[in-house]
Amino acid sequence: MGFVTLTPTTIDIPDECFAGRKLKSPVPALLLAKMAVDIRYKGQGCGKRLFTYSIITAAEISDAVGGVGLVIDAKDLDAKAFYLDRAGDDLEIIDETGLKLWLPIGVCNFIAGMA
C-alpha cells in the first residue's frame, strides 16, 4: 500500500526556530526521507497513517536514544502542502528551499500520546 524511509540524521536548527535558540547545532533527529502510497490506494488515508506512523516512531526513538524531532524532506511543493495540511503550524521550515521541515519532539510526543 505504501512505505516510509526513516533514518537517523543531524540538523542545524536555524536561530529563528523556537527551539533553535536553546540548542547547539548540529542536533540528532529522525529523517523522513521518503514516503509514498501506491496509486491504487491514494485518497484512502494511507498517507496520513504513514505520516502518523513516522511521527510516533520519531517519538519512540527519541525516548530510547535521544533526538529533537522529525525532519521531513518534502520532494516538492505538493508534498510540502500535504505535510503542512496534517501538521500545520507545528512544522517549521529549516532550510532556504522551504522543502525541509522540522516537527519538534514535543509535538511528536503529543501526537504519539493521542494515537
Side-chain angles (χ1 to χ4, degrees):
M1 294 172 64
F3 73 92
V4 295
T5 302
L6 299 167
T7 185
T9 191
T10 59
I11 59 170
D12 293 321
I13 300 174
D15 290 337
E16 58 270 12
C17 289
F18 177 73
R21 291 172 264 178
K22 301 180 203 173
L23 301 172
K24 293 189 181 209
S25 292
V27 292
L30 190 65
L31 172 66
L32 172 54
K34 300 278 184 192
M35 185 174 91
V37 173
D38 186 297
I39 195 157
R40 295 172 292 177
Y41 299 97
K42 293 224 184 243
Q44 298 179 27
C46 294
K48 183 178 179 180
R49 289 193 300 271
L50 287 171
F51 186 43
T52 301
Y53 165 80
S54 300
I55 294 168
I56 292 168
T57 301
E60 291 171 349
I61 289 175
S62 176
D63 187 47
V65 297
V68 297
L70 181 64
V71 176
I72 300 155
D73 269 341
K75 70 176 184 172
D76 56 28
L77 293 176
D78 289 337
K80 178 182 175 180
F82 170 86
Y83 296 118
L84 288 172
D85 185 51
R86 274 126 193 103
D89 293 337
D90 292 320
L91 280 173
E92 297 189 49
I93 297 169
I94 59 170
D95 77 343
E96 63 281 346
T97 69
L99 296 177
K100 186 170 276 200
L101 310 167
W102 172 57
L103 191 62
I105 197 61
V107 177
C108 295
N109 287 335
F110 177 78
I111 292 169
M114 293 179 58

